[in-house]
Amino acid sequence: MQRMNNRKLLFIAAASLVIVVTACFSPVFRAQFVNYDDDKMVYQNPKITELSPQSVKLFFTSDYVGLYHPLVLLSYAIEHRFFRLDPAPYHVTNLCLHLCSTLLVLWIAWMLSANVWVAFITALLFGIHPLHVESVAWVSERKDVLYAFFFLSSFAAYLSYRKKGSLAYYGASVVLFVMSLLSKPMAITLPLVLCLADFLTKRTWDRKAFIDKIVFFALAALFAAATVMIHYTSGEISPRPPFAFWQKIFVAAYGFVFYIGK
């Protein structure tokens, strides 16, 4: 009976989140493209005007404007094939991805806390927080909402693997992690999040726990190295950064405190 009640409450919570988040972001349905990166990424991007095996291969074998995010370009190409340069579908896709991520936060928070109210409040704060407006309402930030969706999907699959012990969930988690990395390099933080989840659930840090993370850390290191190499070879990052090492520490600290404050 308790299990059925929890499922019912989770369903109500999920439906409420979809309604509230959609209402908060409803202005995007009338939004247009902007002349800040939307030109390079979408409406003046020759790469997305063709959707073929050759173009898809190009997405995955080259960078674009100093970034390697083939799944983002692929998503634009699919939209361009069906909707050309009508901005509405691009904005709707961003919102749908954000809604899916919000529901994943609900599910993850439920798995970690076993408390529907904790899960609902956590997901609600995630869903309507003003810091997400840029990522959802700006078409060029597709990489944020796309990587977040795969990131959270991978995290949820890992928690299911921990709970049920099925290698299928572990494999799904690894595949989804790769898809997140192919959307934005920021996904390299997932292995640390998995470690924090183990700590929160008081998992004993034994040989198996260590082995579980090896693949994730190896993939993160690979994509981190590739990202740095692409940035340097594309000229997006100067070979001699203007900041000294100690200054970079302060810049990173500022970013950390800024987001905690927000």
Side-chain angles (χ1 to χ4, degrees), residues 161 198 203-214:
Y161 158 70
D198 284 351
R203 182 188 189 186
T204 302
W205 191 257
D206 53 13
R207 183 171 175 269
K208 187 176 186 304
F210 175 76
I211 292 175
D212 284 346
K213 309 297 185 306
I214 287 179

Side-chain angles (χ1 to χ4, degrees), residues 52-196:
S52 65
Q54 292 75 21
S55 65
V56 173
K57 179 181 178 181
L58 188 63
F59 294 157
F60 284 88
T61 56
S62 62
D63 62 282
Y64 183 67
V65 293
L67 299 170
Y68 181 68
H69 43 38
L71 289 186
V72 174
L73 294 175
L74 179 59
S75 70
Y76 289 148
I78 293 172
E79 287 165 317
H80 189 276
R81 165 63 66 87
F82 292 102
F83 307 108
R84 297 305 175 186
L85 293 177
D86 178 3
Y90 295 84
H91 286 290
V92 170
T93 300
N94 276 19
L95 177 57
C96 288
L97 286 168
H98 181 60
L99 285 170
C100 290
S101 292
T102 301
L103 295 178
L104 282 167
V105 170
L106 174 72
W107 181 243
I108 290 168
W110 158 248
M111 285 194 287
L112 290 174
S113 68
N115 186 308
V116 176
W117 282 108
V118 168
F120 175 72
I121 293 172
T122 301
L124 180 64
L125 289 173
F126 174 89
I128 66 174
H129 200 289
L131 279 179
H132 286 141
V133 172
E134 180 182 282
S135 297
V136 178
W138 185 16
V139 173
S140 292
E141 281 298 273
R142 170 70 54 80
K143 56 184 177 293
D144 270 10
V145 289
L146 192 61
Y147 110 84
F149 169 71
F150 289 124
F151 185 103
L152 293 166
S153 298
S154 178
F155 188 19
Y158 175 81
L159 292 176
S160 296
Y161 158 70
R162 281 280 319 280
K163 183 178 180 180
K164 301 180 181 180
S166 171
L167 288 177
Y169 283 111
Y170 182 80
S173 181
V174 173
V175 171
L176 290 165
F177 178 44
V178 172
M179 296 179 76
S180 186
L181 289 165
L182 291 172
S183 303
K184 188 177 182 180
M186 181 60 71
I188 63 173
T189 57
L190 180 63
L192 297 177
V193 173
L194 300 185
C195 292
L196 289 174

